[in-house]
Amino acid sequence: MEMILERLIALNTRQTKEQTRAFVKECPLKDYDALTQSPRLKQMAERINSTDDDEKQRKLKSWLPFRCPHYTQFRDDYRDREHIVAESFTWQTCIDIDDPELVEKANEMSEKLDIEIGGRWQGLMLHKDYSIRRKLHIDIRLPLGMTVPEAQREYCKALGVECDTSCFTPERFIYISPADFEIYRADGWYAQLSDEEVAARRKAYTDRGLSIDGRTEDGSYYDPGDDGDAPTPAPVAPAVTPDAPAEKVETKFPQEFKGVPYTSVICEYWRRTGGEPSEGERNKRLHQLAANLRAICDNNEEWMLEVMPRFGLSVVEMKSIIHSACKEPTKGSRLIDQIVNALDMGISSDEIEDAEAVQAETGVKVNVKALPIGLKESLAGVPVSMHMPVLCGVLPIAAAYADQVQIQYCDGNLQHLGLMSIIRGEQASNKSVVKNAVDVWKRQFDEEDALARKREEEWKERKKGRKANEKAPEDPHVLIRMVPVTVSCSTLLKRFKNAQGHTLYSFGEELDTLRKTNGAGSWSSKYDIYRLSFDKGEWGQDYNSDAAESGVVKVAYNWTMLGTNGAMRKCFKSDNIENGLSSRILVAEMPDSSFAKMPKFGRRSAEDEAKIQEAVTRLRSFSGLVDTPRLRRAIEEWVEAKRVEAAKDIDHVKDTYRKRAAVIGFRCGVIFHLLSGCVRESKACLDFALMMAEYCLMEQIKTFGEALLSQYVDVSEECQRYGVNHSVFDQLAPTFTIDDLRALKRGYCSETSMRMIISRWMRDGWISKTDRHHWSKRQVGSQPKT
């Protein structure tokens, strides 16, 4: 079992006189949280703010606890430069805004920088809080290769404020504020980075002649000065790797390609090609690297010299190798393309071919790197071809945890996060990969339900064992949220009545079991319950007997089902297609395993599972209206584009399914947004929502399309028509009659439907009437939006 990397922080709690300002101790981050919630700290804050005497304030402030932003460990717990443990460098720094007039400006600007798509500081804000005197602290992750002063200067320039050079000291500390002063905290704050990332970051420093934590010979961080030309301390000689490129400090060319650091690309290249070169093969292997790398360096020899490792070679030798490689005909590099795409998506480059195959088949590319906490860890160890089934499997239970949230949809109506998904695939298609992920997500439900079921069983035993003249014990009305898919309508009604406004959830390993139990008797109306649960509709039943449950309830019920394609066909016959249940289902398809090699699964670490539980806790903490205006606009534009596509093709299936596919995509986007912790919906959130809407629509059409069409026309004729993927509108002549349209539709549409189609085209500005029997087409590209 992999060890959980505990988040560590250097603290001085200032609880005893022996804890002078020189004392600091490495502690788990939970000690910091306990400290911020202590009544003592709150009282100290109140005392400091209750006096205007500067001297008294300084004296009180000197007894505040503090943390160190740059290191988690100092030898002998003594905080000074000589006792720093360089290996405990946090790769983050804290910007201090002391000017009261600039606090709110910096606060707002930091939010913009954090969500600026493609910006240098996107996603690098780790923590933000007010100081006790309402100044501002902003912790950021250091960009790769930047020292603390470089990052401080650049970030303050982006904020539009003066930087505080006292913040540049390695041993610096920050006074701690009470918990309610905290504004924002990212998952990565004080997190220990992976060995691979630490190695890449240290190498970026040592390649510049600095120590592994970006310091120079005198122990201070390298600082180029305000304009980059101030006198700088002499850099130290590299002590870790032999391939530091002499005195190079400044970088002339970009250090990233499409947001992926060149150091990461090169590390992955060595991994794919047998490791770093030994001494006897240096020149040959570096020539091969240069030949592959030049495609993403614009064939620029200076650029390549700047980003390539040297392994002890001189600048002259490196120039000769690079020049030789660049003389060869440029043909690009498939391997480098795969590595860059894989690093951009957050997957192993060994899996990129599978990812490309999935994208070619489904049009979907899951960017694992961009996923928020919980969703990202759900895909740990999961083959790329199964990413979408797993995401579709866990989203309904994630939505069930966020059941106190209300959202406003594009049409202005308020909704809840109702989701139902079916993961379909042939026998032995590894559908259990979805179950393994859901099992981790449902742990909190299971633990709470176990206690509730125990109370209910005890009540039943007392009721059964009472004497004839004794009063029956009072029903405890326990809240049980995980119900089996085979639950009867009567029991389900009881669970709804005791739900206390919460959403129930079911997971079913066999869709066929659901179909059989829903087929007769008291189970027969459960299909109605599923339909109503999508929009929290009302459902109920009345019986004269006390033995059966009676009442009317709001239905909030999410579920995930696994099943074969055969069970899917049996479950969704014509009535369940036409009555709207099919359009409410998020369908995912397992990859075709016919004659395929056995897939390789990884293991989800204990840390991954802990992060999923953290995601669950985060979802449960939200309540009330969550406003997502950017997400609404994105989904509204998507559903309108699909309306135009369907109208051009007179495609009733797409027109039917696009509407609820948009709702499902929107709700998935809200879950992403809640988990991300962002103030506004990020670009990654919008991309995820649109991807889910597109995938949902495609799978609904693929799974249910033919059955829905068969209700309009003869199946064989319609399947042939449906297979032609051409726009009916585009096939019409520039001037046409209703007979021309009738010929293209081959009797598919009634006379009324065709006139309605023509009326809609005219309303949308696609056509104009020339005489009683003829219409003329306009340029569709200039059509007005409705």
Side-chain angles (χ1 to χ4, degrees):
M1 180 183 292
E2 295 183 31
M3 292 181 63
I4 297 176
L5 293 175
E6 189 171 30
R7 297 182 190 195
L8 302 173
I9 186 171
L11 288 179
N12 184 330
T13 60
R14 302 288 277 161
Q15 290 179 336
T16 65
K17 289 186 177 180
E18 289 74 25
Q19 291 182 346
T20 66
R21 283 164 53 136
F23 173 83
V24 74
K25 187 173 181 63
E26 185 179 62
C27 304
L29 190 59
K30 63 184 179 184
D31 287 6
Y32 167 87
D33 291 328
L35 194 60
T36 62
Q37 293 164 11
S38 66
R40 172 177 167 266
L41 183 59
K42 194 170 184 180
Q43 289 166 6
M44 289 181 73
E46 290 170 353
R47 287 180 64 192
I48 290 170
N49 285 317
S50 65
T51 178
D52 294 325
D53 187 329
D54 291 343
E55 186 60 35
K56 188 174 182 181
Q57 275 188 9
R58 274 195 296 272
K59 192 171 181 180
L60 289 169
K61 191 176 175 182
S62 68
W63 278 101
L64 284 172
F66 60 79
R67 64 181 174 94
C68 294
H70 297 143
Y71 299 91
T72 65
Q73 199 174 19
F74 293 79
R75 289 193 310 278
D76 303 323
D77 296 337
Y78 193 84
R79 186 185 62 83
D80 71 2
R81 201 164 298 186
E82 286 68 35
H83 286 76
I84 284 171
V85 178
E87 289 76 12
S88 74
F89 189 46
T90 60
W91 307 104
Q92 59 190 53
T93 189
C94 181
I95 284 82
D96 198 353
I97 310 295
D98 271 340
D99 188 338
E101 295 182 1
L102 295 176
V103 165
E104 285 314 310
K105 174 191 172 183
N107 191 9
E108 292 176 13
M109 195 62 196
S110 66
E111 297 289 347
K112 293 178 181 177
L113 292 174
D114 197 52
I115 63 174
E116 182 184 1
I117 305 304
R120 183 170 210 170
W121 306 103
Q122 182 187 2
L124 294 186
M125 186 165 65
L126 298 175
H127 185 263
K128 188 163 56 173
D129 66 358
Y130 291 116
S131 70
I132 283 177
R133 295 293 290 164
R134 287 286 165 177
K135 310 296 175 58
L136 188 64
H137 299 144
I138 308 171
D139 288 48
I140 60 168
R141 174 74 66 215
L142 298 176
L144 184 74
M146 268 197 186
T147 62
V148 166
E150 288 171 330
Q152 288 259 356
R153 289 188 186 280
E154 288 291 324
Y155 192 77
C156 287
K157 190 183 293 183
L159 288 178
V161 301
E162 290 284 332
C163 72
D164 182 355
T165 55
S166 68
C167 300
F168 297 179
T169 55
E171 67 276 17
R172 179 185 175 230
F173 67 82
I174 298 289
Y175 286 120
I176 295 172
S177 310
D180 54 3
F181 284 53
E182 187 174 79
I183 305 168
Y184 171 77
R185 183 188 297 195
D187 300 321
W189 192 47
Y190 281 104
Q192 297 187 57
L193 304 184
S194 67
D195 292 342
E196 293 80 4
E197 184 169 355
V198 169
R201 286 176 172 272
R202 287 177 178 174
K203 185 177 182 302
Y205 283 155
T206 57
D207 276 356
R208 299 177 60 187
L210 303 172
S211 67
I212 60 172
D213 52 347
R215 289 188 290 159
T216 58
E217 275 185 338
D218 66 356
S220 62
Y221 292 125
Y222 172 71
D223 180 12
D226 210 8
D227 300 315
D229 56 1
T232 60
V236 299
V240 181
T241 122
D243 51 340
E247 60 283 339
K248 183 173 64 177
V249 172
E250 302 268 346
T251 56
K252 181 179 176 182
F253 298 94
Q255 300 301 296
E256 295 181 345
F257 178 74
K258 294 183 177 178
V260 179
Y262 282 100
T263 50
S264 301
V265 174
I266 293 168
C267 285
E268 185 67 6
Y269 174 85
W270 293 135
R271 189 188 72 79
R272 289 286 300 271
T273 57
E276 294 185 355
S278 58
E279 189 171 347
E281 58 177 7
R282 274 185 317 193
N283 290 34
K284 179 184 175 183
R285 296 285 304 284
L286 283 169
H287 182 280
Q288 292 169 344
L289 172 62
N292 280 278
L293 205 60
R294 62 192 175 134
I296 60 171
C297 293
D298 292 343
N299 219 38
N300 187 310
E301 295 182 25
E302 286 185 66
W303 194 344
M304 294 169 67
L305 182 65
E306 191 170 285
V307 299
M308 280 184 63
R310 297 185 186 174
F311 295 100
L313 297 180
S314 68
V315 173
V316 174
E317 288 174 305
M318 284 300 298
K319 283 184 175 180
S320 175
I321 290 171
I322 292 170
H323 181 68
S324 173
C326 288
K327 283 197 304 184
E328 298 175 6
T330 304
K331 56 184 178 181
S333 172
R334 169 71 173 159
L335 177 58
I336 293 294
D337 287 344
Q338 288 183 340
I339 288 172
V340 170
N341 289 338
L343 292 173
D344 183 50
M345 292 173 63
I347 62 175
S348 166
S349 62
D350 300 323
E351 295 183 296
I352 194 63
E353 289 186 0
D354 289 340
E356 289 170 349
V358 170
Q359 186 177 6
E361 183 180 345
T362 65
V364 166
K365 182 174 90 170
V366 179
N367 189 341
V368 179
K369 188 177 173 183
L371 291 177
I373 185 173
L375 298 184
K376 182 186 293 183
E377 289 73 27
S378 299
L379 302 184
V382 176
V384 170
S385 59
M386 302 178 192
H387 280 181
M388 279 307 289
V390 171
L391 282 176
C392 294
V394 302
L395 282 165
I397 190 168
Y401 279 118
D403 59 354
Q404 299 306 295
V405 165
Q406 271 196 320
I407 53 178
Q408 185 179 5
Y409 188 55
C410 313
D411 59 5
N413 287 321
L414 296 180
Q415 298 183 355
H416 80 303
L417 293 174
L419 286 176
M420 299 169 283
S421 69
I422 296 177
I423 317 304
R424 68 184 182 96
E426 295 301 343
Q427 297 179 48
S429 58
N430 295 292
K431 292 186 289 292
S432 59
V433 72
V434 179
K435 178 184 183 300
N436 295 337
V438 173
D439 281 346
V440 181
W441 276 86
K442 68 186 183 75
R443 283 178 187 170
Q444 292 193 28
F445 277 163
D446 286 340
E447 290 169 5
E448 293 162 7
D449 285 0
L451 296 174
R453 288 185 183 279
K454 183 179 178 183
R455 283 183 60 207
E456 189 174 59
E457 285 302 315
E458 290 171 350
W459 167 72
K460 286 179 180 177
E461 288 299 319
R462 290 198 308 272
K463 186 179 177 183
K464 191 189 301 181
R466 68 187 174 94
K467 295 178 180 177
N469 59 349
E470 284 182 346
K471 185 180 178 182
E474 188 176 345
D475 188 336
H477 300 293
V478 294
L479 168 62
I480 294 175
R481 298 185 62 182
M482 283 285 299
V483 296
V485 295
T486 54
V487 63
S488 69
C489 286
S490 183
T491 303
L492 189 56
L493 178 59
K494 180 180 179 180
R495 299 298 182 220
F496 282 138
K497 288 167 72 174
N498 296 338
Q500 301 170 22
H502 289 292
T503 297
L504 305 189
Y505 177 77
S506 287
F507 177 78
E509 292 188 56
E510 294 294 341
L511 183 61
D512 202 46
T513 303
L514 175 78
R515 181 187 66 83
K516 289 172 181 174
T517 58
N518 285 8
S522 61
W523 287 270
S524 57
S525 62
K526 272 168 64 183
Y527 285 126
D528 296 332
I529 297 172
Y530 302 152
R531 288 202 310 278
L532 292 166
S533 69
F534 189 77
D535 291 310
K536 214 168 186 177
E538 283 191 350
W539 168 79
Q541 58 186 22
D542 273 323
Y543 290 101
N544 291 327
S545 169
D546 291 337
E549 199 74 29
S550 297
V552 177
V553 292
K554 290 277 189 182
V555 177
Y557 185 23
N558 291 4
W559 47 256
T560 304
M561 304 289 177
L562 313 180
T564 63
N565 293 324
M568 192 83 165
R569 285 190 294 271
K570 291 175 183 175
C571 189
F572 286 86
K573 294 182 179 177
S574 58
D575 53 347
N576 274 339
I577 300 284
E578 191 274 335
N579 66 12
L581 180 58
S582 66
S583 64
R584 292 171 166 90
I585 304 294
L586 174 57
V587 181
E589 187 176 7
M590 294 298 295
D592 186 358
S593 59
S594 305
F595 313 108
K597 290 182 179 179
M598 183 182 294
K600 300 295 183 185
F601 296 89
R603 293 183 62 186
R604 195 172 284 110
S605 69
E607 184 181 10
D608 290 330
E609 294 184 357
K611 284 192 173 182
I612 291 174
Q613 298 312 311
E614 187 180 335
V616 168
T617 303
R618 180 177 294 185
L619 289 171
R620 300 183 84 168
S621 69
F622 289 99
S623 62
L625 180 65
V626 175
D627 194 26
T628 52
R630 297 182 70 202
L631 185 56
R632 279 200 299 274
R633 283 196 300 273
I635 288 293
E636 189 170 6
E637 288 172 6
W638 180 86
V639 78
E640 171 62 14
K642 295 302 169 187
R643 183 192 72 80
V644 170
E645 286 178 19
K648 283 177 66 178
D649 288 342
I650 318 179
D651 188 336
H652 290 270
V653 170
K654 181 179 285 188
D655 189 53
T656 298
Y657 285 127
R658 69 178 173 91
K659 301 164 189 173
R660 289 201 178 109
V663 175
I664 291 170
F666 179 77
R667 292 177 182 179
C668 293
V670 172
I671 295 166
F672 185 110
H673 175 59
L674 296 176
L675 289 172
S676 71
C678 295
V679 176
R680 294 196 311 153
E681 311 93 296
S682 64
K683 171 70 162 49
C685 170
L686 305 185
D687 290 343
F688 180 78
L690 296 178
M691 177 188 75
M692 294 304 301
E694 192 72 44
Y695 182 77
C696 177
L697 176 61
M698 180 192 70
E699 284 296 325
Q700 286 180 345
I701 291 174
K702 186 176 180 180
T703 307
F704 308 121
E706 288 187 10
L708 184 59
L709 282 169
S710 69
Q711 297 177 18
Y712 301 125
V713 294
D714 175 73
V715 174
S716 61
E717 179 186 344
E718 185 51 34
C719 285
Q720 183 183 0
R721 185 205 71 83
Y722 192 63
V724 179
N725 189 23
H726 297 295
S727 164
V728 172
F729 181 82
D730 290 341
Q731 292 178 71
L732 287 168
T735 299
F736 64 93
T737 67
I738 198 167
D739 292 329
D740 297 327
L741 179 60
R742 188 181 295 113
L744 282 174
K745 296 306 292 178
R746 289 180 294 185
Y748 167 61
C749 284
S750 67
E751 198 72 19
T752 302
S753 296
M754 280 190 289
R755 294 197 177 277
M756 187 180 296
I757 290 164
I758 288 174
S759 173
R760 188 165 295 161
W761 284 350
M762 287 185 65
R763 183 196 66 191
D764 289 349
W766 294 6
I767 60 174
S768 60
K769 195 162 187 175
T770 55
D771 59 41
R772 185 178 175 187
H773 300 293
H774 292 81
W775 291 266
S776 293
K777 292 165 64 175
R778 294 178 179 174
Q779 284 292 329
V780 178
S782 60
Q783 70 207 46
K785 286 191 175 182
T786 56

